[in-house]
Amino acid sequence: MKVGVFGFGEIYRRYASLLPKEQSVVVVIDNGVVGHREMVDGIAHINPREVFLYDIDLVILMSDSATEMREQLEGMGYDMSKVIHYRDYFGGLEQKREMYLANESEVQDKKSLLIISNALGFHGAPVTVLGMVKCAREMEYRVSVVASSGDQAFIDELNLAGASVIIQPWIEHASWDNLKWTNEYDDIIVNSLPVIICALTISMHRRTIVWLHESPDTYISLRFWWDNIQRGIEVGDIGLYAVSRRATENFRRFFNYSKDITILLPYVNEWNNKGKPAKTDVVIFAVIGSIIEQKGQRILLEAIHSLSIKQNIKFVFIGKENDSLNSKRIVDNISNESCCEYVGEMTREEMSNLYQDIDVVIVPSLEETLSLAAVEAMMMEKVCIVSDHCGIAEYITNGENGFVFPLNENKALVKAIEWCVANKEKFMEIGKRARMTYEDNFSLKVFRDSFKEILE
């Protein structure tokens, strides 16, 4: 097969070595080539207008700007049946699966459950997988979790919880030939929107459940496949659930779906040790989440800078820094504040221990369909301050079981922080009411009842 590659940037450099040798790249299409052909390593680099001069079986769009590339080729009248996104291309190649087996258990397996997730780690949707595993094991299911990649520490935690883990590269866009093995399972739950292409492929052959957690930016990142997703939800055997009303609204904002989307609130595995009020006069605030713009650390830093007092106060930022310049700038700004400390990403065990010292959890997110960090804080009887752009906000009443501030009102966040500094003696009372909110909405019993209805 003769292959043309459109795009010669980071994606090409990262994945070019994965192209099968029998599918030789005969040409690289690049908008950076102006007016004439260039030869690089024996391969012609051409302007898109010259693509018609070559006998090419397939054009692979090797860029995360593939939508614009597709529109460019389509506008030129190119045969679009010969064009494919690199994720779909690699998803169609034969895949090897890597297994991490669960610890032995005395539970008698009656049925089997497969949970398909986005990349596994101590963040967002993957954390909810632990709750599903716990419930499924109690229901005597054999459980496997599959993802395209995963942090080893998180994989270990899933194994300890009783789930085997399967790593299959490109699972999000795998072809049916690479998914036929899923027929071995009695039930399949796809946990998060980034894996919806996989879910729709399976749903053409059997019932598939999708649990939605995502904010609008994730939908936008899937723009290339919007038409395919719309067709898939219309004809596939699929059931949609959402982690909150906000998550439901996000889905309907992008896709027409006439059927009901059921709210399925998550259960976060409970820690054995409960949170306790710190013994010192210092009020410790925690901010938990990946260091990215969406999590709102920058908004909080602006509020910290505006505080009238910075004595007996400490802000601990917990979360994974990525390679982006924006992420590094946020970490640098944290380090520049004397009352702030950045500690990086933590396992759930490490977080459980740290909660003994935390007084208040702040969730200043620009957009969050729920906020597992807030759910965990309420579970641990901690005071929460959350933005009104978080789904969890509808479960919080100001001054009763936490605080909600309007995202665009920095003074409101400053006021909530300063109230906490001045009223530490009231934390226990608010924390107990927060715990009641957790038990009424996010406890194992509540989740188990809903989960049984899905599987049985």
Side-chain angles (χ1 to χ4, degrees):
M1 177 182 287
K2 296 179 181 178
V3 173
V5 171
F6 195 166
F8 195 58
E10 179 186 351
I11 298 297
Y12 178 86
R13 291 189 292 273
R14 188 185 306 171
Y15 298 121
S17 62
L18 301 180
L19 294 168
K21 294 180 180 179
E22 65 272 15
Q23 297 184 7
S24 57
V25 177
V26 298
V27 63
V28 170
I29 306 162
D30 190 346
N31 279 306
V33 177
V34 181
H36 64 278
R37 293 165 228 171
E38 302 174 357
M39 298 299 292
V40 179
D41 297 330
I43 300 175
H45 284 228
I46 65 170
N47 185 279
R49 293 187 300 273
E50 299 176 288
V51 69
F52 296 97
L53 303 176
Y54 289 82
D55 181 18
I56 301 171
D57 299 303
L58 189 68
V59 174
I60 305 172
L61 307 180
M62 294 283 275
S63 170
D64 285 330
S65 299
T67 302
E68 290 77 10
M69 290 177 168
R70 179 176 62 186
E71 291 172 350
Q72 184 177 3
L73 291 173
E74 190 172 21
M76 292 164 45
Y78 195 72
D79 182 358
M80 300 310 293
S81 68
K82 295 166 50 174
V83 177
I84 190 170
H85 194 287
Y86 77 92
R87 294 184 183 276
D88 295 325
Y89 172 79
F90 288 120
L93 299 180
E94 184 177 353
Q95 301 292 335
K96 293 182 179 179
R97 302 191 299 275
E98 190 172 356
M99 302 286 295
Y100 298 84
L101 298 179
N103 290 8
E104 293 184 1
S105 171
E106 296 179 359
V107 174
Q108 181 66 41
D109 300 324
K110 291 182 177 179
K111 300 178 77 174
S112 57
L113 170 66
L114 178 66
I115 303 170
I116 307 177
S117 179
N118 55 332
L120 300 173
F122 295 94
H123 58 270
V127 173
T128 66
V129 172
L130 288 165
M132 281 194 283
V133 169
K134 181 178 179 64
C135 284
R137 293 302 289 157
E138 287 185 356
M139 296 165 63
E140 300 182 338
Y141 270 78
R142 172 175 61 88
V143 185
S144 297
V145 178
V146 61
S148 60
S149 62
D151 294 339
Q152 187 59 54
F154 193 82
I155 292 173
D156 292 342
E157 191 148 348
L158 284 170
N159 288 161
L160 285 172
S164 294
V165 175
I166 304 167
I167 299 299
Q168 179 176 323
W170 308 103
I171 186 72
E172 296 92 341
H173 295 265
S175 65
W176 176 241
D177 283 342
N178 286 327
L179 292 171
K180 288 180 180 178
W181 62 271
T182 62
N183 274 331
E184 301 170 6
Y185 292 85
D186 296 301
D187 294 284
I188 296 178
I189 296 177
V190 174
N191 185 51
S192 75
L193 186 74
V195 204
I196 196 167
I197 303 299
C198 170
L200 295 174
T201 299
I202 297 173
S203 74
M204 298 303 168
H205 303 270
R206 56 170 299 167
R207 178 70 170 171
T208 307
I209 298 297
V210 177
W211 195 13
L212 303 168
H213 302 255
E214 285 70 30
S215 300
D217 60 331
T218 304
Y219 288 85
I220 293 169
S221 72
L222 292 170
R223 179 185 166 200
F224 186 90
W225 297 276
W226 280 356
D227 289 343
N228 291 344
I229 295 171
Q230 184 62 58
R231 285 192 296 270
I233 62 177
E234 291 171 359
V235 302
D237 187 3
I238 193 166
L240 291 184
Y241 292 77
V243 75
S244 68
R245 178 177 53 82
R246 196 176 188 92
T248 297
E249 292 169 350
N250 288 340
F251 186 85
R252 295 196 187 279
R253 171 180 164 186
F254 289 89
F255 301 110
N256 295 320
Y257 188 72
S258 59
K259 300 177 184 178
D260 290 338
I261 301 176
T262 304
I263 302 298
L264 176 63
L265 296 173
Y267 164 68
V268 179
N269 276 350
E270 191 163 355
W271 292 313
N272 292 327
N273 53 335
K274 295 290 190 298
K276 299 177 182 178
K279 298 178 181 179
T280 67
D281 292 333
V282 177
V283 179
I284 298 180
F285 296 81
V287 190
I288 306 164
S290 301
I291 309 300
I292 55 177
E293 191 69 26
Q294 181 181 323
K295 292 296 184 180
Q297 291 98 348
R298 193 184 305 278
I299 290 174
L300 175 57
L301 287 167
E302 291 174 0
I304 292 172
H305 192 70
S306 301
L307 291 174
S308 59
I309 184 171
K310 294 185 182 179
Q311 295 177 338
N312 293 331
I313 187 171
K314 181 178 181 181
F315 296 86
V316 181
F317 290 77
I318 304 154
K320 189 174 184 178
E321 175 187 4
N322 62 37
D323 295 330
S324 72
L325 181 60
N326 182 60
S327 182
K328 294 183 183 302
R329 283 176 176 169
I330 293 173
V331 171
D332 288 342
N333 289 336
I334 293 170
S335 302
N336 290 335
E337 287 285 350
S338 60
C339 60
C340 296
E341 179 184 7
Y342 173 61
V343 297
E345 189 176 37
M346 289 187 167
T347 65
R348 284 180 58 75
E349 181 179 357
E350 291 169 335
M351 278 301 307
S352 175
N353 293 329
L354 182 62
Y355 259 116
Q356 305 310 303
D357 299 321
I358 293 172
D359 294 299
V360 182
V361 171
I362 302 179
V363 185
S365 296
L366 281 64
E367 172 65 39
E368 193 134 9
T369 52
L370 188 66
S371 176
L372 293 178
V375 173
E376 288 180 342
M378 297 170 92
M379 174 182 73
M380 298 294 280
E381 300 184 9
K382 300 298 179 179
V383 177
C384 287
I385 303 174
V386 306
S387 85
D388 61 353
H389 282 218
C390 297
I392 191 66
E394 65 179 281
Y395 298 91
I396 295 176
T397 301
N398 266 321
E400 294 293 321
N401 59 344
F403 297 89
V404 179
F405 71 94
L407 187 64
N408 59 352
E409 295 183 18
N410 188 267
K411 290 182 180 179
L413 176 54
V414 171
K415 183 178 179 181
I417 293 171
E418 291 182 341
W419 186 95
C420 289
V421 174
N423 293 275
K424 189 171 182 178
E425 73 279 359
K426 297 181 180 179
F427 286 0
M428 185 174 294
E429 182 181 347
I430 294 175
K432 288 186 180 300
R433 287 195 289 265
R435 172 71 191 191
M436 290 174 61
T437 302
Y438 163 81
E439 291 178 353
D440 290 343
N441 299 279
F442 304 100
S443 65
L444 177 59
K445 180 184 182 303
V446 174
F447 183 77
R448 186 194 293 119
D449 293 342
S450 299
F451 198 59
K452 283 182 177 179
E453 291 182 10
I454 295 174
L455 297 182
E456 294 182 345

